Amino acid sequence: DQQVKQNSPSLSVQEGRISILNCDYTNSMFDYFLWYKKYPAEGPTFLISISSIKDKNEDGRFTVFLNKSAKHLSLHIVPSQPGDSAVYFCAASGKMGGSEKLVFGKGTKLTVNP
Amino acid sequence: GAGVSQSPRYKVAKRGQDVALRCDPISGHVSLFWYQQALGQGPEFLTYFQNEAQLDKSGLPSDRFFAERPEGSVSTLKIQRTQQEDSAVYLCASRRGRGYTEAFFGQGTRLTVV
Protein backbone atom coordinates (compact mmCIF):
# COMPACT_ATOMS: atom_id res chain seq x y z
CA ASP A 1 0.00 0.00 0.00
CA GLN A 2 1.66 3.18 -1.23
CA GLN A 3 1.52 5.82 1.47
CA VAL A 4 3.31 8.35 -0.72
CA LYS A 5 2.23 8.56 -4.34
CA GLN A 6 3.75 10.30 -7.32
CA ASN A 7 1.24 9.64 -10.04
CA SER A 8 3.24 11.09 -12.92
CA PRO A 9 6.14 8.81 -13.89
CA SER A 10 7.54 11.47 -16.20
CA LEU A 11 7.33 15.15 -17.05
CA SER A 12 8.83 17.10 -19.93
CA VAL A 13 9.16 20.89 -19.97
CA GLN A 14 10.96 23.54 -21.97
CA GLU A 15 13.95 25.36 -20.56
CA GLY A 16 12.90 28.56 -18.82
CA ARG A 17 9.36 27.36 -18.09
CA ILE A 18 7.94 26.17 -14.80
CA SER A 19 8.16 22.52 -13.73
CA ILE A 20 5.50 21.31 -11.30
CA LEU A 21 5.94 17.93 -9.66
CA ASN A 22 3.13 16.54 -7.55
CA CYS A 23 2.92 14.20 -4.60
CA ASP A 24 0.01 12.82 -2.57
CA TYR A 25 0.12 11.05 0.76
CA THR A 26 -2.39 9.03 2.72
CA ASN A 27 -1.01 8.86 6.26
CA SER A 28 -2.12 11.81 8.39
CA MET A 29 0.70 11.05 10.84
CA PHE A 30 3.25 12.41 8.38
CA ASP A 31 4.39 15.84 9.46
CA TYR A 32 7.58 16.49 7.54
CA PHE A 33 8.07 16.28 3.81
CA LEU A 34 11.16 16.30 1.64
CA TRP A 35 12.08 16.33 -2.03
CA TYR A 36 15.13 14.51 -3.31
CA LYS A 37 16.75 14.66 -6.72
CA LYS A 38 18.52 11.67 -8.21
CA TYR A 39 20.89 11.41 -11.15
CA PRO A 40 21.69 7.99 -12.66
CA ALA A 41 24.22 5.94 -10.71
CA GLU A 42 24.16 8.38 -7.80
CA GLY A 43 22.36 8.42 -4.48
CA PRO A 44 19.42 10.76 -3.89
CA THR A 45 20.41 14.35 -3.07
CA PHE A 46 18.34 16.42 -0.68
CA LEU A 47 16.66 19.37 -2.38
CA ILE A 48 14.11 21.06 -0.13
CA SER A 49 11.80 20.23 2.76
CA ILE A 50 8.72 21.52 4.54
CA SER A 51 7.23 21.02 7.96
CA SER A 52 3.50 20.45 8.31
CA ILE A 53 3.16 23.70 10.25
CA LYS A 54 3.96 25.61 7.06
CA ASP A 55 2.28 25.72 3.68
CA LYS A 56 5.18 27.02 1.63
CA ASN A 57 8.96 26.90 1.65
CA GLU A 58 11.17 28.55 -0.91
CA ASP A 59 14.83 28.12 -1.75
CA GLY A 60 16.06 29.88 -4.84
CA ARG A 61 14.37 28.42 -7.90
CA PHE A 62 12.67 25.71 -5.84
CA THR A 63 9.42 26.12 -3.92
CA VAL A 64 7.47 23.43 -2.12
CA PHE A 65 3.78 23.89 -1.37
CA LEU A 66 1.89 21.81 1.17
CA ASN A 67 -1.90 21.43 1.30
CA LYS A 68 -2.58 19.42 4.46
CA SER A 69 -6.32 19.19 4.01
CA ALA A 70 -5.81 17.62 0.58
CA LYS A 71 -2.75 15.64 1.70
CA HIS A 72 -0.94 17.02 -1.30
CA LEU A 73 2.38 18.68 -1.92
CA SER A 74 4.05 20.03 -4.98
CA LEU A 75 7.50 21.14 -6.04
CA HIS A 76 7.81 24.12 -8.36
CA ILE A 77 11.01 24.79 -10.26
CA VAL A 78 11.22 28.21 -11.89
CA PRO A 79 12.87 28.71 -14.29
CA SER A 80 13.64 25.14 -15.29
CA GLN A 81 17.15 24.40 -16.55
CA PRO A 82 18.51 21.41 -18.50
CA GLY A 83 20.63 20.49 -15.46
CA ASP A 84 17.41 19.94 -13.52
CA SER A 85 16.76 16.83 -15.61
CA ALA A 86 16.70 13.99 -13.09
CA VAL A 87 14.33 11.76 -11.14
CA TYR A 88 12.60 13.58 -8.29
CA PHE A 89 11.40 11.70 -5.23
CA CYS A 90 8.91 12.93 -2.70
CA ALA A 91 9.42 11.60 0.84
CA ALA A 92 7.47 11.87 4.08
CA SER A 93 8.32 11.33 7.70
CA GLY A 94 6.48 11.23 11.01
CA LYS A 95 6.74 9.88 14.52
CA MET A 96 5.12 6.55 13.83
CA GLY A 97 5.92 3.94 16.43
CA GLY A 98 9.11 5.75 17.34
CA SER A 99 10.63 5.30 13.91
CA GLU A 100 11.72 8.32 11.92
CA LYS A 101 12.03 6.56 8.61
CA LEU A 102 11.41 8.37 5.37
CA VAL A 103 8.70 6.91 3.14
CA PHE A 104 9.33 7.56 -0.54
CA GLY A 105 7.18 7.80 -3.62
CA LYS A 106 8.16 6.05 -6.84
CA GLY A 107 9.59 9.17 -8.40
CA THR A 108 8.94 11.44 -11.37
CA LYS A 109 11.48 11.69 -14.16
CA LEU A 110 11.83 15.32 -15.21
CA THR A 111 13.29 16.19 -18.59
CA VAL A 112 14.05 19.83 -19.33
CA ASN A 113 14.54 20.41 -23.01
CA PRO A 114 16.90 23.16 -24.21
CA GLY B 1 34.58 12.04 5.39
CA ALA B 2 32.52 14.73 3.73
CA GLY B 3 29.67 12.47 2.73
CA VAL B 4 28.17 9.04 3.23
CA SER B 5 30.44 6.39 1.77
CA GLN B 6 29.27 2.96 0.69
CA SER B 7 31.31 -0.02 -0.45
CA PRO B 8 31.49 -1.85 -2.69
CA ARG B 9 29.82 0.21 -5.41
CA TYR B 10 28.97 -2.92 -7.35
CA LYS B 11 28.66 -6.51 -6.22
CA VAL B 12 27.86 -9.60 -8.25
CA ALA B 13 26.95 -12.63 -6.17
CA LYS B 14 26.05 -16.15 -7.12
CA ARG B 15 22.70 -17.30 -5.83
CA GLY B 16 23.16 -18.73 -2.36
CA GLN B 17 26.25 -16.68 -1.58
CA ASP B 18 26.41 -14.39 1.48
CA VAL B 19 27.21 -10.71 0.96
CA ALA B 20 28.15 -7.83 3.25
CA LEU B 21 27.58 -4.19 2.33
CA ARG B 22 29.31 -1.42 4.23
CA CYS B 23 28.21 2.09 5.06
CA ASP B 24 30.35 4.89 6.52
CA PRO B 25 28.01 7.67 7.62
CA ILE B 26 28.86 11.34 7.92
CA SER B 27 30.99 11.84 11.01
CA GLY B 28 28.88 12.69 14.03
CA HIS B 29 25.58 11.62 12.52
CA VAL B 30 23.71 9.47 14.99
CA SER B 31 20.86 8.27 12.78
CA LEU B 32 21.51 5.74 10.04
CA PHE B 33 19.08 4.19 7.56
CA TRP B 34 19.26 1.40 5.00
CA TYR B 35 17.02 1.40 1.96
CA GLN B 36 16.53 -0.96 -0.95
CA GLN B 37 15.74 0.46 -4.38
CA ALA B 38 14.51 -1.78 -7.16
CA LEU B 39 14.66 -0.64 -10.77
CA GLY B 40 12.04 2.02 -11.48
CA GLN B 41 10.91 2.23 -7.88
CA GLY B 42 11.48 4.58 -4.99
CA PRO B 43 13.74 3.64 -2.09
CA GLU B 44 12.07 1.16 0.28
CA PHE B 45 12.92 1.35 3.98
CA LEU B 46 14.80 -1.59 5.46
CA THR B 47 16.09 -0.59 8.89
CA TYR B 48 17.02 2.34 11.15
CA PHE B 49 19.68 2.86 13.82
CA GLN B 50 19.99 5.52 16.46
CA ASN B 51 23.66 5.25 17.45
CA GLU B 52 24.22 1.52 17.93
CA ALA B 53 20.61 0.73 18.69
CA GLN B 54 18.51 -0.75 15.93
CA LEU B 55 15.20 0.97 16.60
CA ASP B 56 13.26 -0.19 13.56
CA LYS B 57 13.86 -3.25 11.42
CA SER B 58 10.33 -3.57 10.14
CA GLY B 59 11.41 -3.25 6.50
CA LEU B 60 13.82 -6.17 6.41
CA PRO B 61 12.18 -8.57 3.93
CA SER B 62 13.26 -11.81 5.55
CA ASP B 63 15.49 -13.27 8.23
CA ARG B 64 18.21 -13.57 5.60
CA PHE B 65 18.74 -9.83 6.02
CA PHE B 66 20.71 -8.60 9.00
CA ALA B 67 22.14 -5.19 9.85
CA GLU B 68 24.45 -4.03 12.58
CA ARG B 69 26.13 -0.88 13.79
CA PRO B 70 28.15 -2.09 16.77
CA GLU B 71 29.96 1.14 17.66
CA GLY B 72 27.38 3.61 16.47
CA SER B 73 29.32 4.60 13.38
CA VAL B 74 30.00 2.19 10.50
CA SER B 75 27.13 -0.09 9.60
CA THR B 76 27.03 -3.37 7.72
CA LEU B 77 24.06 -4.88 5.93
CA LYS B 78 24.43 -8.61 5.50
CA ILE B 79 22.36 -10.76 3.20
CA GLN B 80 22.62 -14.50 3.62
CA ARG B 81 21.92 -17.07 0.92
CA THR B 82 21.23 -14.41 -1.69
CA GLN B 83 18.39 -14.90 -4.15
CA GLN B 84 17.69 -13.25 -7.48
CA GLU B 85 14.96 -11.07 -6.01
CA ASP B 86 17.60 -9.48 -3.76
CA SER B 87 19.10 -7.77 -6.83
CA ALA B 88 18.69 -4.03 -6.23
CA VAL B 89 20.56 -0.91 -5.23
CA TYR B 90 21.11 -0.71 -1.48
CA LEU B 91 21.25 2.83 -0.18
CA CYS B 92 22.54 4.04 3.15
CA ALA B 93 21.63 7.42 4.61
CA SER B 94 22.65 9.28 7.74
CA ARG B 95 21.11 12.14 9.64
CA ARG B 96 22.50 14.39 12.32
CA GLY B 97 20.08 13.33 14.99
CA ARG B 98 16.51 12.98 16.08
CA GLY B 99 14.06 15.42 14.68
CA TYR B 100 13.14 16.31 11.18
CA THR B 101 16.22 17.27 9.35
CA GLU B 102 17.30 15.96 6.00
CA ALA B 103 18.97 12.59 5.54
CA PHE B 104 22.07 12.38 3.34
CA PHE B 105 22.47 9.40 1.08
CA GLY B 106 25.48 7.51 -0.16
CA GLN B 107 25.90 6.48 -3.78
CA GLY B 108 24.57 3.02 -3.08
CA THR B 109 25.72 -0.52 -3.73
CA ARG B 110 24.27 -2.21 -6.78
CA LEU B 111 23.84 -5.89 -5.99
CA THR B 112 23.27 -8.33 -8.82
CA VAL B 113 22.51 -11.94 -7.94
CA VAL B 114 23.12 -14.39 -10.77
Side-chain angles (χ1 to χ4, degrees):
Chain A
D1 181 31
Q2 278 274 308
Q3 297 187 69
V4 177
K5 300 178 183 179
Q6 294 178 256
N7 292 319
S8 297
S10 62
L11 175 68
S12 183
V13 300
Q14 281 301 119
E15 181 178 7
R17 305 294 292 271
I18 184 171
S19 295
I20 300 177
L21 297 99
N22 293 302
C23 177
D24 297 291
Y25 62 97
T26 58
N27 194 331
S28 58
M29 296 296 289
F30 289 142
D31 59 3
Y32 199 76
F33 304 90
L34 307 92
W35 284 93
Y36 282 82
K37 175 180 176 180
K38 187 180 183 302
Y39 294 117
E42 295 184 10
T45 302
F46 170 76
L47 197 55
I48 192 169
S49 63
I50 188 167
S51 165
S52 61
I53 63 174
K54 296 185 176 181
D55 55 17
K56 177 183 174 181
N57 188 27
E58 190 172 354
D59 183 3
R61 296 186 297 115
F62 303 91
T63 303
V64 56
F65 295 92
L66 174 62
N67 183 333
K68 282 183 62 179
S69 61
K71 293 190 176 68
H72 177 83
L73 65 155
S74 61
L75 174 68
H76 292 210
I77 306 174
V78 182
S80 302
Q81 300 174 355
D84 296 329
S85 297
V87 178
Y88 289 78
F89 291 99
C90 171
S93 179
K95 288 182 179 175
M96 297 172 292
S99 178
E100 298 187 355
K101 66 185 179 186
L102 297 175
V103 180
F104 284 83
K106 292 189 176 184
T108 296
K109 183 176 181 179
L110 173 65
T111 302
V112 180
N113 301 302
Chain B
V4 178
S5 177
Q6 292 187 245
S7 60
R9 285 292 314 277
Y10 304 93
K11 176 69 179 178
V12 178
K14 291 185 177 179
R15 191 173 56 182
Q17 184 179 354
D18 296 350
V19 298
L21 311 180
R22 177 186 170 104
C23 173
D24 279 276
I26 293 173
S27 178
H29 279 197
V30 299
S31 299
L32 186 145
F33 304 83
W34 283 99
Y35 283 82
Q36 180 190 61
Q37 186 174 19
L39 192 63
Q41 303 294 314
E44 293 281 344
F45 171 78
L46 292 177
T47 188
Y48 159 60
F49 289 86
Q50 188 78 4
N51 295 304
E52 70 279 2
Q54 189 175 21
L55 299 186
D56 186 349
K57 52 182 181 180
S58 62
L60 296 176
S62 76
D63 59 7
R64 296 185 298 102
F65 286 71
F66 173 77
E68 60 183 5
R69 194 186 185 199
E71 297 179 359
S73 179
V74 171
S75 177
T76 304
L77 176 67
K78 298 179 180 178
I79 309 173
Q80 298 177 323
R81 305 181 303 281
T82 53
Q83 301 177 5
Q84 284 191 318
E85 59 262 32
D86 300 334
S87 296
V89 175
Y90 290 85
L91 294 163
C92 175
S94 71
R95 191 162 66 189
R96 188 178 298 277
R98 296 190 77 91
Y100 304 131
T101 60
E102 61 268 26
F104 297 91
F105 282 82
Q107 291 185 301
T109 294
R110 178 176 294 278
L111 172 66
T112 303
V113 181
V114 298

